[in-house]
Amino acid sequence: MASTLAIISSNKIDQRFALLRATRRKALVCYVTSGYPSEDQCLELLRGLETEGADIIEIGVPFSDPIADGPVIQDSSQKALAAGMTLEKTLDIVSRADLTVPVVLFTYLNPLLAAGPDVLERASAAGVDGILLTDLPVGADPDREKWLGDSDLAFIRLVAPTTPVDRMREIALNGSGFVYLISRLGVTGAQSSLASDLRETSDRLRSATDLPICVGFGISNGEQARAAASAADGVVVGSALVKAAGESIDKALSLTRSLRTALDS
Amino acid sequence: MHAAPEKTMTAISTHDRFGPFGGRYVPETLIPALDELDSAFDSAMADAEFVRTVDEMLSTYVGRPSPLSDAPRLSEQVGTSVFLKREDLNHTGAHKINNTVGQALLAMRMGKRRIIAETGAGQHGVATATVCARFGLDCTVYMGEEDIRRQSLNVYRMKLMGAKVVPVSSGTKTLKDATSEAIRDWVTNVNDSYYIIGSVVGPAPYPRMVREFQSVIGREAREQMLNRTGKLPTAVVACVGGGSNAMGIFHPFEDDRDVKLIGVEAAGHGLESGEHSASLLRGKPGVLHGTLSYLLQDGDGQVHPAHSISAGLDYPGVGPEHAWLKDSGRAEYVAVTDEDALRGFATLSRLEGIIPALETSHAIAWVIDNASRWIKSDSVLICVSGRGDKDMAQIAEMGFLDR
Ligand SMILES: Cc1ncc(COP(=O)(O)O)c(C=O)c1O
């Protein structure tokens, strides 16, 4: 039933997961910090990620106080902010990138609130397909959650290893697109190994929802991506890509290529 | 308010909210821990044995009740009776320890033995390190590099008592960034760690919990004023950083509608300079560190760095209950510049032999500079939130005595 719905959905994220399911592939979700390393390079990176096989691109609108992020994304956010990046400029970048793959806006609540009540329509018009807020857990602010849930954007919610199964169900019911499963306790950042209880957590989440599940936080190479994807419908790679992009766009793209290859093998 | 959508500005206070302010805007990982904390706090406060243990610690270790001092020479200068609630005389020299005693006992009741804290002036860090030493708890304190420089004496004190002080070099390198880093630690070690927040900020239940632990200030002061003067004060004045000493002294007076509650923010280089910490007077509602409250921010919703001569007031946010006291009109908020605070600092030292913390000096200065608001038969109660020892190096470095 979920897949039938997905096929007729007008949202590009749902369509992408329907396609992935039909071709039995796992989703590669790539995170970039908007405006990092520079506005032009970010644009080049977005287009390159699409070419190298990203299924979904998350673009992070930098926030001055990113409590859910580790050192790599903190640093990229600070640099992007110092160079003048904003939510408005991010929408402009998304619009100029004109991607075929779906785009998810990834940010904190405050920059979104400051952008005014029509920001969700403007994001949608710029080519954004979904939104993810790290500091708006389910039930925290029903009115604002309704505002987000009623928009055209898929509202991607997060599940943590600490989330009880009843709450997982509630989170899935109040989200769309996919469920973002945080792989381990902590903030974003590459790790040398996956959490040992990942499989257990994803099994619990699987029992709670039909939405696609993507695992993120700490995945940094092809081997980890493959292992994590075996417990889910896809993986999110963030800090490792941002770190590579800080060195060169080529490095970030070759990492993407190796992630794609690992997921498809 | 600038935040969308408008209709969320309801004025109903719930368990988690003060009017529309407060809430729990945190990463999902922390939600079960906040649920657990919320019920653990409520059950502890309903347990007479826990409350008795807190009271006993406050009396035998902190030195409570703290005295209420009259201030004859300051009163003469102001032209009304000024009374000083002496939180500076608490063990460790500030009101902060009222909260850390309560929260450390709660942490132990919850079976957590690793404590995390953030600190600005270092007073909360010292108060946390102190109770951790007393109870044998593991203690990690996050502190901005800029504050480590400004408050080196407190860094030394924390280390002496066995705490690990972790310098924070991100962002503005002050309290705001130390708080972010403490939250990140908590998200990572949530199963075995307890985060002792140092003010009435952060996600629910912290603002309510810290207020409850600090309310001992106001409960004592209210009774002391009645005993001493036979009536309630005309006004209660306290400095506001995150707002814990102010909430602590305000709360027991909230239902005394005739008592004016006045919170003094840091105007830094002046409210028009853009370099201040006056979140309530110059901020807009927004979300920082898990709570919706007044916040210094730019038009893009990026947090604007705060400035104050006193590290303890140098925070761009403020407790959500103050936001509601302001919007509901129950409290009035004003601000005092760095320069004026220094005058308050010198005045209290010379007139009363009490050297206040630079934070407290803002409240002192405001009362002095607003003498015309009072008549002789009034009485003004000031919360002396802390003593100035920690500020001596900074003051001496400024060549204060030679000016
Ligand atoms: C002496 C003193 N007063 C006031 C403050 C400000 O905090 P709050 O507004 O929470 O009382 C501090 C903070 O460090 C402090 O040390």
Side-chain angles (χ1 to χ4, degrees):
Chain A
M1 158 133 167
S3 59
T4 336
L5 268 179
I7 288 163
I8 57 168
S9 167
S10 62
N11 190 287
K12 273 163 74 178
I13 298 173
D14 297 338
Q15 291 167 0
R16 174 60 60 156
F17 278 106
L19 177 70
L20 286 163
R21 206 171 280 135
T23 55
R24 294 172 175 279
R25 293 169 82 214
K26 302 286 187 178
L28 174 58
V29 183
C30 295
Y31 171 93
V32 301
T33 298
S34 175
Y36 182 79
S38 70
E39 213 175 306
D40 287 346
Q41 285 172 298
C42 179
L43 203 55
E44 183 191 340
L45 179 59
L46 290 173
R47 292 181 176 137
L49 290 174
E50 172 161 299
T51 313
E52 297 301 342
D55 291 299
I56 295 174
I57 297 176
E58 289 181 355
I59 184 158
V61 178
F63 178 49
S64 52
D65 297 83
I67 56 172
D69 285 301
V72 172
I73 295 181
Q74 281 176 50
D75 180 65
S76 67
S77 300
Q78 270 187 35
K79 287 184 175 140
L81 282 175
M85 188 43 56
T86 63
L87 197 154
E88 302 308 326
K89 284 187 188 166
T90 302
L91 296 184
D92 184 54
I93 291 176
V94 171
S95 163
R96 278 194 287 155
D98 194 20
L99 302 170
T100 311
V101 295
V103 174
V104 173
L105 215 53
F106 181 111
T107 190
Y108 291 78
L109 187 54
N110 207 53
L112 189 76
L113 294 182
D118 63 344
V119 62
L120 303 180
E121 286 95 77
R122 284 188 289 122
S124 186
V128 172
D129 305 288
I131 186 152
L132 187 159
L133 296 164
T134 54
D135 57 354
L136 187 63
V138 166
D141 190 332
D143 289 344
R144 289 189 175 92
E145 289 172 75
K146 184 170 176 343
W147 170 58
L148 285 147
D150 288 350
S151 80
D152 290 340
L153 305 179
F155 188 15
I156 292 139
R157 312 308 291 266
L158 297 107
V159 160
T162 51
T163 309
V165 71
D166 287 353
R167 188 171 160 82
M168 285 180 173
R169 221 166 274 130
E170 193 190 333
I171 291 171
L173 278 174
N174 286 283
S176 55
F178 62 92
V179 180
Y180 190 129
L181 173 60
I182 299 170
S183 70
R184 58 183 164 78
L185 300 181
V187 292
T188 58
Q191 292 282 308
S192 50
S193 63
L194 290 174
S196 53
D197 57 356
L198 175 60
R199 165 73 62 176
E200 200 188 306
T201 317
S202 71
D203 284 351
R204 248 188 306 143
L205 178 56
R206 179 58 80 209
S207 75
T209 182
D210 287 336
L211 279 177
I213 299 168
C214 291
V215 178
F217 278 40
I219 296 167
S220 58
N221 58 41
E223 195 188 328
Q224 283 176 352
R226 232 167 84 87
S230 74
D233 302 300
V235 297
V236 187
V237 181
S239 295
L241 270 173
V242 172
K243 185 158 180 278
E247 288 163 33
S248 75
I249 299 304
D250 279 350
K251 276 216 167 121
L253 295 181
S254 85
L255 173 60
T256 309
R257 207 171 307 135
S258 69
L259 291 164
R260 181 78 269 171
T261 309
L263 284 180
D264 290 348
S265 62
Chain B
M1 140 172 190
H2 76 306
E6 300 287 334
K7 66 176 186 298
T8 59
M9 292 298 289
T10 47
I12 306 157
S13 297
T14 62
H15 190 66
D16 277 356
R17 302 243 169 204
F18 307 96
F21 301 107
R24 301 198 304 192
Y25 300 89
V26 294
E28 172 63 24
T29 309
L30 293 179
I31 292 294
L34 290 170
D35 282 340
E36 184 194 352
L37 181 60
D38 197 89
S39 55
F41 173 63
D42 285 345
S43 92
M45 295 306 273
D47 176 356
E49 178 62 22
F50 178 82
V51 174
R52 200 189 56 74
T53 311
V54 173
D55 286 348
E56 193 171 297
M57 276 298 293
L58 290 179
S59 103
T60 62
Y61 189 69
V62 175
R64 301 208 72 92
S66 68
L68 180 77
S69 299
D70 47 8
R73 299 184 65 208
L74 180 64
S75 296
E76 194 182 313
Q77 179 171 334
V78 177
T80 193
S81 303
V82 178
F83 290 89
L84 306 173
K85 179 59 176 165
R86 302 291 305 281
E87 294 302 301
D88 59 311
L89 292 179
N90 292 339
H91 179 39
T92 71
H95 68 292
K96 296 284 180 186
I97 197 162
N98 302 327
N99 169 46
T100 60
V101 162
Q103 287 203 57
L105 286 169
L106 182 61
M108 287 191 291
R109 191 181 149 100
M110 293 172 72
K112 314 242 171 178
R113 303 202 66 88
R114 179 176 181 267
I115 302 294
I116 313 158
E118 83 295 338
T119 197
Q123 286 305 103
H124 173 59
V126 166
T128 305
T130 301
V131 295
C132 287
R134 171 67 176 73
F135 297 128
L137 304 172
D138 183 80
C139 181
T140 303
V141 179
Y142 290 92
M143 188 167 186
E145 278 182 349
E146 171 67 14
D147 291 336
I148 286 182
R149 190 188 61 73
R150 287 195 283 191
Q151 306 282 341
S152 55
L153 185 64
N154 274 341
V155 177
Y156 204 83
R157 292 166 84 193
M158 287 184 264
K159 289 183 176 166
L160 200 56
M161 290 184 283
K164 192 167 107 193
V165 180
V166 183
V168 176
S169 59
S170 56
T172 54
K173 305 177 174 45
T174 62
L175 178 55
K176 155 177 106 71
D177 307 280
T179 306
S180 295
E181 206 53 32
I183 294 174
R184 292 184 190 110
D185 181 321
W186 197 34
V187 177
T188 311
N189 301 295
V190 63
N191 288 332
D192 71 344
S193 299
Y194 183 103
Y195 177 23
I196 301 190
I197 291 186
S199 191
V200 286
V201 299
Y206 281 105
R208 180 171 66 92
M209 177 166 71
V210 176
R211 177 198 72 201
E212 286 305 305
F213 287 136
Q214 290 292 1
S215 287
V216 65
I217 306 174
R219 279 197 307 273
E220 286 175 8
R222 191 173 180 282
E223 197 183 310
Q224 289 165 323
M225 285 300 292
L226 285 173
N227 286 341
R228 192 77 63 84
T229 67
K231 57 183 172 110
L232 293 171
T234 315
V236 179
V237 184
C239 66
V240 177
S244 67
N245 85 90
M247 265 334 299
I249 199 163
F250 286 177
H251 190 63
F253 289 98
E254 254 178 73
D255 292 335
D256 303 317
R257 308 305 290 190
D258 292 339
V259 177
K260 290 194 180 65
L261 306 176
I262 296 162
V264 187
E265 298 195 284
H269 294 143
L271 286 181
E272 309 315 321
S273 71
E275 294 174 11
H276 55 73
S277 304
S279 330
L280 289 160
L281 289 173
R282 284 293 182 273
K284 283 183 291 184
V287 173
L288 176 67
H289 296 145
T291 196
L292 174 67
S293 185
Y294 281 89
L295 179 63
L296 299 179
Q297 54 182 316
D298 66 17
D300 294 318
Q302 305 295 343
V303 179
H304 195 278
H307 163 80
S308 171
I309 190 170
S310 65
L313 303 185
D314 201 343
Y315 184 67
V318 65
E321 193 165 6
H322 284 292
W324 181 230
L325 288 177
K326 173 188 152 85
D327 279 14
S328 65
R330 179 62 189 93
E332 177 186 352
Y333 294 89
V334 295
V336 160
T337 62
D338 290 350
E339 241 354 269
D340 290 345
L342 282 171
R343 263 196 308 106
F345 175 82
T347 305
L348 194 69
S349 302
R350 287 192 191 141
L351 292 185
E352 300 293 342
I354 296 171
I355 302 176
L358 282 174
E359 291 80 8
T360 309
S361 302
H362 289 72
I364 309 284
W366 186 81
V367 169
I368 295 170
D369 291 345
N370 288 272
S372 63
R373 284 175 63 134
W374 324 113
I375 56 170
K376 201 163 169 31
S377 58
D378 284 342
S379 56
V380 177
L381 170 64
I382 305 177
C383 185
V384 182
S385 56
R387 67 175 93 117
D389 303 33
K390 69 179 173 63
D391 301 311
M392 282 308 130
Q394 187 187 352
I395 293 286
E397 200 180 301
M398 289 166 51
F400 190 72
L401 284 180
D402 308 324
R403 299 206 312 182

